[in-house]
Amino acid sequence: MAKNLNSISFAVLLFVLVIASTGILNSEAVDCPGGCSLASQRTFLDECGAVPFTGTDAECCTCCKGKWLSPPLCWAVVEGTEKHCHCYRHV
């Protein structure tokens, strides 16, 4: 029994280390003024900039700020396979 628990513990630890080292859990999304970083707090507003968006999330936030005021703007992120700058507002 103890041998099985040690094997399971090792496997879980290895999995956590792999996930942490690959950066899968990291998000570079930027809270623009008004902050709504939780998914339940925001809804899609519109896209901003060229497609594909070659800038960072901070530049996406700047683009969104130039297009909309804050509020309603509260969050911006570069996402999707084609790298779109998405702007979000409070729900």
Side-chain angles (χ1 to χ4, degrees):
M1 178 73 174
K3 203 173 201 180
N4 288 341
L5 286 177
N6 284 338
S7 297
I8 293 170
S9 296
F10 179 74
V12 169
L13 178 62
L14 184 62
F15 177 73
V16 169
L17 288 174
V18 167
I19 294 296
S21 66
T22 58
I24 290 173
L25 299 178
N26 291 346
S27 173
E28 296 177 8
V30 177
D31 270 340
C32 291
C36 55
S37 56
L38 297 177
S40 62
Q41 297 174 334
R42 64 181 182 260
T43 186
F44 182 72
L45 182 61
D46 202 358
E47 293 181 357
C48 190
V51 177
F53 190 83
T54 56
T56 64
D57 288 334
E59 291 168 332
C60 176
C61 184
T62 302
C63 179
C64 292
K65 282 184 205 176
K67 209 169 178 184
W68 294 279
L69 299 175
S70 177
L73 176 67
C74 68
W75 202 65
V77 64
V78 178
E79 58 189 355
T81 56
E82 295 179 0
K83 300 293 182 190
H84 295 258
C85 172
H86 289 167
C87 310
Y88 291 85
R89 64 179 175 88
H90 281 284
V91 174

